[in-house]
Amino acid sequence: MEALDDAPGVLPRKRRRKAPTSTSSYVFRPLLEDIALAPEGYTSKVHITCIELWASNLYIGTSAAEILHYVAIPPDPADFTASPSYIFASRLQPTYNQTSTGSPAPGVQQILVLPRVSKACVLCNGTLTFYSLPELSPAFSHTVVPGCSWVGGANQNQSHDEHEDGQTIMICIKSRIRLVRIGDEPRKIRNIEFPSCLAIARRDNFACVADTQAYALLDVENQQKISLFPISSLDENAAGGQVEDISFHPEPSRPLSGMGDPRGHGRSTSLGTFVSGIGRRSPQSRSQERSGRNTSPEPELRAASPLRPPDRPRSGSVTSNAAKRLSISDKALPPPPDHTLSQLALRNPSDSFSTNMTPHICSPTPTEFLLTTGTSPEEPGVGIFVNLDGDVVRGTLQFDRYPTSVVVDGNDQSAIVSTTGIQQPLECYILASTFQRKEEGHKEVIEVHRWDIDDANSTEHLDIPFPFEEENSDDVGSALGHARLRVILSHNSASFVEVGERLRLGRLRLPSNSQAQKTDSVPALMTTAEDNRNQEEQAFGQRLGAQSSRIVLWSGSSIWWLIRNPLVLRLDGMIEMAMGSLPDQRHQEVDRAKISRTISSIQDFDANTETDFLSLKYIRQKAVLILFADTLSRDPSASTISNTGLRTTEKVMVDSGLDPRILLSIVPLLREEVIEGKQGIWIHNGLIWVVKEYAQVLSQSDPIRGSLRYSESANMIKRFLAAWRQRKGFGSIADEAEVFQSVDAALLHLLLHQDGEQSGKSGLPSAARAELYSLVDSGVDCFERAVVLLEQNRRLYVLSRLYQNRKMAGKVLETWRRIIEGEEDAGNELRDGENEIRKYLAKIRDINLIQEYGTWLARRNADLGVQVFADDNSRAKFIPEDVVQLLQEQAPEAVKVYLEHLVFGKKKVLYANRLITYYLDSVLQVLETSDEARSILGQSYESYRALQPPKPTYRQFIMDNAVPVPWWQDRLRLLELLGGSHGADFSYDLDNILGRIEPFEQDLVPESIILDGRQGRHKQALRLLTHGLGDYHTAINYCLMGGASIFHPISGSLTPSETSTREDQATLFGYLLTEFLRIEDASNRLERTSELLERFGRWYDVREVLRMIPESWSVELVSGFLVGAFRRLVHDKHEGMVVKALSGAENLQVAAAFAEKCRIAGAQIEEVQ
């Protein structure tokens, strides 16, 4: 049979139209349609009353007291979507007793298949008969049980009776229940006194039963009963909570009697040879699975129930009684009363409903039973859970109307087996067929309740699909009241093609402006590989859509499977409902709250199968994709998305594991950063159309470039990409290289755009700039693309930081040089670029780069350029001679600076002569070409001579009044070098220097003084100091230093030259006195001479001084010198006297000591020959 669409209530294939994905928990799939129920010549309306499916055999009971036998033909194994087709095999008329009550006969009421013993029990019009499987041939010599109202009660704890032969069932007759074991023959185990039983569910020794009025709990082993509550809450006669002893003493057993039927066991000849070839299948041991759900019990049903009564001794040995045959009276019992299950089931809802209601009993767990109660069939019903002690547990279920049938699907014992062989626990549902009152009349629906969770909003309603032939006919109303649910023995496996089509992977083809795979490849090979993978994915998808079910629904002349809607289809339907219209219809926005609830609903869902795992992944990714696209596609001025909503979207974006390239592919600004790679981008096939739709919509207007919500949307994308960057190195990420290249490129592009927009508006660095720096400093995988982006955006400084991260020193320096030389840097971020180059050169070891950029820097800034080669902390070391030669070739202007570093900084006097030459060249070149320079020098001499004592030295004077021109500074350094700042051992080419400055002796007075001193021409040097400069203080220092250099920085006290003596100093002071006495200004002459004689008189001879001073000078002018001289003479005289006296005393002391030694030695007489 061909499958219908998976939405509830769809039409058969001949009128099928495309419907939205169903969000219900169950969907309908046809099992068999348009069944010819009525036999030939039958004029009454015939409907289905019961169904059973065992192995490949489908048994359908009808209201015409017939069983239709169909046999399944397996589908073509190559067509995984095909379902079995059923062919008609036979039509059976079960044996039953004719009644004369006048009420309509119910027909076939039950078909109970016992697979372990290959038997079937058929209840038809109150008569129970037995048949052999699969062809339903009479068994047990046409044994019949008249007056039967119900059969069943097989132990639902499947493993309990596995060690026993046969299967134990419970047969309900008018006055009692018989426990019978069916094997090679039926064997009565015991009778249980419980009359008019209409329904039973058994767990081991405990059975929950119902009669026409109330429910009860039976201990079938100990023969005790606990009354529960009435079926109708209006029944005041039924009392609950009472414990009764219902033990029964059996009469002598009688053999079963066969009852003939003139109709016999008629069979159709259409089965033919095909049926004769079908052997008996091995019986299945699985019993009917049932389950339930909970809400709170109603107050009137909370009657106190006693605890489970203690076990009492058994009345007899079960094993000994098992061999006794079941004795049934030959007397035919009357059929059940009108209010039995069969009569209640046939009532039409359009008629006036009776207060009597059909009892329903299910056992959702091994320790619980679900019972239904209410006030009337037209009023709401209640489902109540009781345990084996008769206590109400859990809560209650609320039915819109009292149900006509109830089944359970899924409990703690049941599971479905996936295609991988893994058992997955089911969600637990209660399904009930009931009515809804509509304006046009009553409508039958299926209510679906979850009983394993406490959620009042979990109830669903499924419309029962009527066959098309009856939809518009006058007989539609006659089908109402005949829709029933049942859990059958055999499982049905249905394939949902939509599941595989959504979950399998497909290749996402990006627009041409994205970064497709750039490596060379053979197109034919790539096409072949893609085709092969598509075939693999299609084969994989075919395995994912299989669902299993045991629930069937029949209505009218058709039967449907009620199959759980796959998780992915349910959730996908919810998302499609939240999407509203297609994404290109911008007037209707996505219901973000619905999508968020859908995501939350699966937050704690544990996926136990591959299909569920992929389904959850697919749903999360689709939800994320829609939320993300909706955020970008909304009108910024009218959008109501809060920052919390954006944060929520961002969180699910990160948690979904969706390939970030998919999200980037729909953002026009960032789409071109997506890299597909050789294999392309493979995503769930169900996501491809969403990506394409939103990509087309967003391409028409870029929401990031012009949106008022730019910062929020961009920041969301930025944080998402940053979160993905933290996953680098995770081995579970497919296409890792392409993914992270795309992520880094998109993040860089976004930060560049964001920084450019924000900085352009404020003129100040934006907050995104720090993030931009952090990104490039940490390194990016898309290096080549990053270079292109930075070049396009003219962000050279950021480009240099990118090169630094890759340790590409040459590129770093080249980029900085471009900025310094004037190339546009949009960020204007390189501050003090030349100094940055100097510091960077100190960190690298590449000699060639240091030489190239060091000399380039020296040409631009000699001081910084020289520091590159002179830095002691630099990682590269240079020989000074090599540096001098390099600078002479590449940066001549920096040679002098480097020599100054060597001479003054490193005290390397070896290079002093070169430096002196550079200084002389600088000074003499200016003096030769500039009269102004000569004027400045002459004016400085005059200005200094005009100063009145006390005044600074000439050197201090010219330093304090330095002219801001280079040659002036060079002259100061020249004076320092010539003056011997590097010690007495330092020597230079004196003759060469004298020859060069000789034409400028009048302009270079200090230089001449130093050179005269070096030649020993002290008189000439002192004459220039006294008369040329008027620097008397320096002249005195010159004498004290013994003619050593005076024009260099001196700290602390002066120390005479190592080669000078007091006599040399006295000679120099004599020369100086002569020059002082020649000072033209009389007052200045007297003052300077008197000061000289008074302070340094010890170096002068009094007679020589008195001879040199003019006679016109009064004694008072030299009184200080004379007083000092006389004091020194008196001091010398007294000192001589003391020395003489001390010497005399010492002589006497020595003489006394000699005399004493002579005495001791005594006289020695020598004979003279």
Side-chain angles (χ1 to χ4, degrees):
M1 304 291 293
E2 292 183 342
L4 292 176
D5 288 333
D6 56 354
V10 296
L11 299 176
R13 178 172 297 277
K14 54 189 170 183
R15 281 191 57 184
R16 187 174 66 179
R17 57 185 180 273
K18 184 177 180 180
T21 305
S22 172
T23 61
S24 59
S25 300
Y26 288 84
V27 294
F28 297 99
R29 289 290 177 92
L31 190 155
L32 197 59
E33 295 181 295
D34 304 333
I35 306 171
L37 299 177
E40 293 182 4
Y42 199 86
T43 59
S44 300
K45 185 68 177 180
V46 180
H47 61 268
I48 300 173
T49 57
C50 57
I51 292 175
E52 188 57 87
L53 177 64
W54 173 72
S56 299
N57 300 276
L58 174 63
Y59 306 107
I60 303 173
T62 71
S63 59
E66 290 184 331
I67 297 178
L68 308 182
H69 181 196
Y70 285 82
V71 178
I73 303 300
D76 183 0
D79 186 2
F80 73 98
T81 63
S83 300
S85 58
Y86 290 86
I87 62 172
F88 180 73
S90 66
R91 187 185 297 267
L92 168 69
Q93 294 82 27
T95 301
Y96 63 90
N97 291 334
Q98 299 290 339
T99 62
S100 59
T101 60
S103 59
V108 178
Q109 298 165 268
Q110 286 181 268
I111 301 174
L112 176 63
V113 174
L114 306 176
R116 289 176 54 191
V117 293
S118 297
K119 296 294 187 293
C121 304
V122 177
L123 178 61
C124 179
N125 291 331
T127 301
L128 180 65
T129 53
F130 303 90
Y131 299 92
S132 297
L133 299 176
E135 68 279 0
L136 295 184
S137 59
F140 308 141
S141 302
H142 296 278
T143 299
V144 298
V145 180
C148 181
S149 60
W150 199 86
V151 63
N155 186 9
Q156 295 187 32
N157 291 343
Q158 301 174 11
S159 62
H160 181 73
D161 295 332
E162 286 183 354
H163 63 283
E164 299 179 355
D165 295 331
Q167 276 188 266
T168 301
I169 62 173
M170 302 176 76
I171 301 174
C172 303
I173 56 179
K174 182 174 182 180
S175 59
R176 63 182 61 89
I177 299 173
R178 285 184 176 175
L179 196 64
V180 179
R181 179 174 295 115
I182 303 297
D184 294 334
E185 57 184 5
R187 298 282 182 175
K188 184 186 72 173
I189 298 177
R190 70 174 58 87
N191 287 337
I192 301 172
E193 292 299 321
F194 190 85
S196 302
C197 181
L198 299 180
I200 299 177
R202 182 165 69 94
R203 294 283 188 176
D204 295 337
N205 294 328
F206 295 93
C208 186
V209 299
D211 57 17
T212 58
Q213 293 182 343
Y215 297 98
L217 189 64
L218 302 182
D219 183 343
V220 298
E221 181 73 20
N222 298 311
Q223 299 285 298
Q224 289 187 329
K225 179 183 76 172
I226 301 176
S227 299
L228 296 177
F229 44 80
I231 299 172
S232 173
S233 58
L234 299 179
D235 187 356
E236 299 178 355
N237 296 323
Q242 298 179 359
V243 180
E244 304 176 28
D245 188 345
I246 55 173
S247 58
F248 172 77
H249 300 285
E251 299 177 355
S253 62
R254 298 173 61 182
L256 293 170
S257 60
M259 296 187 65
D261 189 341
R263 298 168 62 183
H265 182 70
R267 299 184 59 86
S268 168
T269 59
S270 63
L271 183 60
T273 310
F274 175 78
V275 175
S276 63
I278 300 178
R280 290 191 178 184
R281 311 256 180 137
S282 59
Q284 298 182 5
S285 61
R286 300 191 59 178
S287 65
Q288 301 175 0
E289 294 183 357
R290 306 178 184 269
S291 62
R293 179 189 174 272
N294 57 322
T295 53
S296 63
E298 295 191 357
E300 64 268 17
L301 299 177
R302 294 182 180 271
S305 357
L307 297 176
R308 176 179 172 182
D311 294 340
R312 58 190 292 267
R314 299 184 179 181
S315 59
S317 173
V318 175
T319 57
S320 63
N321 294 333
K324 297 179 180 179
R325 289 183 175 271
L326 178 64
S327 176
I328 302 178
S329 173
D330 294 338
K331 182 180 179 180
L333 296 176
D338 292 344
H339 57 266
T340 60
L341 172 66
S342 58
Q343 297 295 325
L344 290 174
L346 296 176
R347 295 186 180 273
N348 193 305
S350 63
D351 301 332
S352 175
F353 281 93
S354 170
T355 56
N356 295 325
M357 295 175 295
T358 304
H360 300 293
I361 304 175
C362 301
S363 181
T365 70
T367 60
E368 294 177 317
F369 297 100
L370 171 66
L371 317 175
T372 60
T373 183
T375 56
S376 73
E378 292 183 329
E379 299 300 326
V382 178
I384 301 174
F385 295 87
V386 297
N387 60 15
L388 299 181
D389 294 326
D391 297 330
V392 176
V393 294
R394 299 181 183 274
T396 61
L397 297 176
Q398 302 293 330
F399 301 105
D400 293 345
R401 303 239 351 227
Y402 190 84
T404 58
S405 61
V406 178
V407 296
V408 295
D409 184 19
N411 56 42
D412 57 347
Q413 298 296 319
S414 63
I416 60 173
V417 180
S418 69
T419 55
T420 60
I422 301 176
Q423 285 193 340
Q424 178 192 2
L426 293 170
E427 298 165 312
C428 298
Y429 290 96
I430 298 290
L431 293 89
S433 59
T434 182
F435 295 91
Q436 281 187 342
R437 183 181 289 109
K438 302 292 183 179
E439 295 181 356
E440 63 275 9
H442 291 85
K443 178 182 179 182
E444 286 184 295
V445 296
I446 304 298
E447 285 191 32
V448 181
H449 297 264
R450 285 286 299 272
W451 64 268
D452 56 337
I453 59 173
D454 189 10
D455 184 3
N457 298 321
S458 63
T459 303
E460 302 176 40
H461 293 83
L462 307 180
D463 292 336
I464 295 178
F466 285 105
F468 170 66
E469 289 79 1
E470 298 181 3
E471 184 175 5
N472 297 320
S473 69
D474 296 334
D475 296 332
V476 174
S478 64
L480 292 174
H482 301 316
R484 293 293 185 271
L485 294 168
R486 176 174 173 79
V487 177
I488 59 176
L489 289 176
S490 297
H491 286 272
N492 172 63
S493 180
S495 178
F496 288 80
V497 181
E498 303 89 335
V499 174
E501 284 301 310
R502 283 170 168 80
L503 298 185
R504 73 177 182 87
L505 299 183
R507 181 170 182 178
L508 175 64
R509 298 191 177 276
L510 300 177
S512 57
N513 61 341
S514 62
Q515 293 190 73
Q517 178 61 32
K518 299 177 182 178
T519 59
D520 295 334
S521 58
V522 181
L525 294 179
M526 294 184 64
T527 303
T528 302
E530 183 176 343
D531 293 341
N532 293 337
R533 181 164 183 181
N534 278 325
Q535 294 176 3
E536 294 174 359
E537 291 295 335
Q538 289 177 354
F540 173 74
Q542 293 174 4
R543 299 192 292 106
L544 301 178
Q547 288 288 104
S548 179
S549 176
R550 293 174 52 208
I551 302 176
V552 294
L553 166 73
W554 65 86
S555 178
S557 61
S558 298
I559 308 172
W560 293 269
W561 289 106
L562 203 58
I563 305 177
R564 293 207 180 193
N565 197 9
L567 176 67
V568 65
L569 298 184
R570 276 187 285 154
L571 298 175
D572 203 17
M574 296 178 185
I575 292 179
E576 289 179 3
M577 291 176 59
M579 290 177 64
S581 61
L582 293 177
D584 57 348
Q585 300 175 8
R586 298 292 298 279
H587 63 277
Q588 184 169 349
E589 295 178 342
V590 171
D591 189 341
R592 302 175 67 90
K594 279 187 179 180
I595 295 182
S596 297
R597 287 194 296 269
T598 302
I599 297 176
S600 299
S601 67
I602 61 175
Q603 194 69 33
D604 299 325
F605 191 94
D606 293 329
N608 296 322
T609 65
E610 183 180 27
T611 301
D612 280 352
F613 175 80
L614 294 176
S615 298
L616 297 177
K617 179 182 176 183
Y618 165 80
I619 291 299
R620 289 190 180 99
Q621 293 182 355
K622 184 172 183 178
V624 164
L625 184 58
I626 294 173
L627 288 175
F628 176 74
D630 176 66
T631 301
L632 300 183
S633 62
R634 293 199 180 204
D635 183 358
S637 59
S639 178
T640 58
I641 304 177
S642 62
N643 288 332
T644 303
L646 288 175
R647 287 287 185 177
T648 302
T649 301
E650 176 189 335
K651 183 179 185 303
V652 296
M653 285 167 59
V654 175
D655 296 341
S656 69
L658 180 63
D659 189 332
R661 296 178 294 173
I662 301 172
L663 296 179
L664 296 176
S665 66
I666 68 174
V667 183
L669 176 66
L670 307 178
R671 181 181 302 158
E672 59 185 359
E673 308 307 335
V674 176
I675 301 177
E676 291 188 67
K678 292 182 179 180
Q679 305 300 326
I681 300 175
W682 291 77
I683 62 175
H684 290 297
N685 198 55
L687 300 179
I688 294 178
W689 74 269
V690 182
V691 176
K692 292 182 177 179
E693 290 287 347
Y694 277 109
Q696 182 179 1
V697 172
L698 295 175
S699 296
Q700 298 173 2
S701 61
D702 187 345
I704 285 192
R705 291 189 184 275
S707 175
L708 297 177
R709 292 183 58 83
Y710 163 79
S711 59
E712 290 84 353
S713 301
N715 288 337
M716 179 185 71
I717 299 174
K718 183 172 59 179
R719 290 188 294 268
F720 168 71
L721 296 175
W724 259 93
R725 278 175 52 83
Q726 296 178 2
R727 301 184 182 185
K728 288 186 178 182
F730 288 12
S732 59
I733 298 176
D735 300 330
E736 182 178 7
E738 291 80 8
V739 167
F740 289 113
Q741 287 178 30
S742 302
V743 167
D744 288 350
L747 183 57
L748 177 62
H749 194 161
L750 182 59
L751 288 173
L752 286 172
H753 181 76
Q754 196 174 33
D755 181 43
E757 288 286 331
Q758 296 176 2
S759 299
K761 294 177 181 178
S762 63
L764 299 174
S766 67
R769 184 162 298 181
E771 297 175 279
L772 180 61
Y773 290 165
S774 177
L775 174 64
V776 297
D777 290 346
S778 62
V780 293
D781 293 352
C782 58
F783 177 75
E784 294 181 357
R785 177 60 181 168
V787 172
V788 173
L789 285 173
L790 294 172
E791 290 282 5
Q792 289 177 349
N793 287 271
R794 301 186 301 280
R795 300 300 296 271
L796 298 183
Y797 177 72
V798 182
L799 177 61
S800 71
R801 297 184 72 132
L802 178 66
Y803 287 139
Q804 286 186 64
N805 175 262
R806 290 294 183 103
K807 302 189 182 305
M808 301 173 67
K811 289 292 185 179
V812 174
L813 295 169
E814 178 186 354
T815 307
W816 283 349
R817 180 168 64 183
R818 291 167 57 189
I819 298 174
I820 294 172
E821 290 180 347
E823 190 168 340
E824 181 184 2
D825 179 27
N828 194 25
E829 299 149 274
L830 183 61
R831 308 294 181 182
D832 194 9
E834 294 178 349
N835 194 43
E836 288 295 325
I837 289 182
R838 178 196 65 79
K839 292 189 291 185
Y840 188 76
L841 289 173
K843 299 176 182 178
I844 63 177
R845 297 179 181 273
D846 193 323
I847 299 297
N848 294 328
L849 284 178
I850 296 174
Q851 290 179 351
E852 178 184 354
Y853 286 94
T855 54
W856 172 83
L857 185 60
R859 289 193 296 271
R860 294 182 58 88
N861 188 326
D863 292 334
L864 288 177
V866 166
Q867 291 181 34
V868 172
F869 302 100
D871 191 353
D872 292 335
N873 297 322
S874 176
R875 302 180 70 177
K877 305 301 180 181
F878 292 90
I879 300 174
E881 187 63 35
D882 295 340
V883 175
V884 172
Q885 182 178 357
L886 177 65
L887 292 177
Q888 285 176 343
E889 296 173 357
Q890 302 292 333
E893 298 297 329
V895 175
K896 180 187 69 174
V897 180
Y898 183 68
L899 291 174
E900 287 177 344
H901 165 75
L902 294 176
V903 174
F904 295 106
K906 298 297 184 179
K907 306 301 181 184
K908 295 183 179 295
V909 297
L910 178 63
Y911 302 94
N913 273 320
R914 293 188 185 182
L915 186 56
I916 290 173
T917 302
Y918 272 96
Y919 288 150
L920 279 176
D921 292 342
S922 175
V923 174
L924 296 180
Q925 184 178 2
V926 172
L927 293 179
E928 289 175 353
T929 59
S930 175
D931 295 335
E932 182 183 1
R934 291 187 173 189
S935 175
I936 290 173
L937 290 176
Q939 189 176 2
S940 68
Y941 300 148
E942 295 177 1
S943 298
Y944 183 75
R945 286 194 296 265
L947 294 178
Q948 296 297 321
K951 59 183 180 180
T953 63
Y954 179 73
R955 174 175 177 78
Q956 187 64 41
F957 174 76
I958 60 177
M959 290 180 64
D960 294 342
N961 298 275
V963 181
V965 290
W967 67 267
W968 187 273
Q969 298 298 326
D970 291 344
R971 181 173 179 248
L972 294 179
R973 288 296 184 93
L974 178 62
L975 290 173
E976 187 175 345
L977 289 175
L978 294 176
S981 61
H982 289 71
D985 295 337
F986 170 61
S987 60
Y988 42 82
D989 190 351
L990 185 61
D991 295 335
N992 179 51
I993 297 174
L994 285 173
R996 296 190 63 184
I997 69 170
E998 183 177 2
F1000 306 98
E1001 287 183 347
Q1002 301 298 323
D1003 301 310
L1004 303 176
V1005 176
E1007 288 81 355
S1008 300
I1009 295 172
I1010 295 173
L1011 295 176
D1012 287 341
R1014 284 280 182 169
Q1015 297 177 87
R1017 299 168 58 186
H1018 302 301
K1019 288 184 178 181
Q1020 181 64 20
L1022 290 172
R1023 182 180 302 110
L1024 291 175
L1025 281 170
T1026 304
H1027 305 291
L1029 292 179
D1031 188 357
Y1032 311 119
H1033 183 71
T1034 301
I1036 293 173
N1037 289 339
Y1038 184 88
C1039 297
L1040 290 174
M1041 297 294 293
S1045 178
I1046 54 174
F1047 289 106
H1048 60 84
I1050 298 175
S1051 60
S1053 59
L1054 296 173
T1055 56
S1057 174
E1058 294 179 0
T1059 58
S1060 64
T1061 62
R1062 185 176 181 79
E1063 289 75 9
D1064 295 335
Q1065 292 175 345
T1067 302
L1068 293 177
F1069 273 113
Y1071 297 155
L1072 183 57
L1073 178 59
T1074 302
E1075 298 302 327
F1076 277 11
L1077 291 173
R1078 295 176 180 174
I1079 296 176
E1080 295 181 358
D1081 186 274
S1083 60
N1084 192 22
R1085 181 173 61 248
L1086 291 174
E1087 185 177 353
R1088 300 278 73 77
T1089 303
S1090 299
E1091 181 184 5
L1092 177 64
L1093 292 174
E1094 185 175 352
R1095 291 178 59 193
F1096 303 99
R1098 70 181 68 182
W1099 278 274
Y1100 290 99
D1101 181 79
V1102 177
R1103 289 175 295 181
E1104 185 65 24
V1105 171
L1106 292 175
R1107 184 185 63 80
M1108 294 176 62
I1109 61 175
E1111 294 181 357
S1112 59
W1113 286 16
S1114 63
V1115 176
E1116 184 179 2
L1117 294 176
V1118 293
S1119 58
F1121 166 72
L1122 295 174
V1123 170
F1126 289 148
R1127 286 178 177 173
R1128 287 193 294 275
L1129 290 174
V1130 173
H1131 176 272
D1132 293 342
K1133 178 181 178 181
H1134 291 167
E1135 184 178 357
M1137 294 176 63
V1138 171
V1139 171
K1140 182 178 179 181
L1142 291 174
S1143 298
E1146 184 179 8
N1147 186 39
L1148 291 175
Q1149 189 176 14
V1150 171
F1154 178 77
E1156 181 63 22
K1157 289 183 178 181
C1158 290
R1159 184 184 66 78
I1160 294 173
Q1164 185 176 1
I1165 302 173
E1166 296 180 357
E1167 293 181 0
V1168 179
Q1169 295 179 356

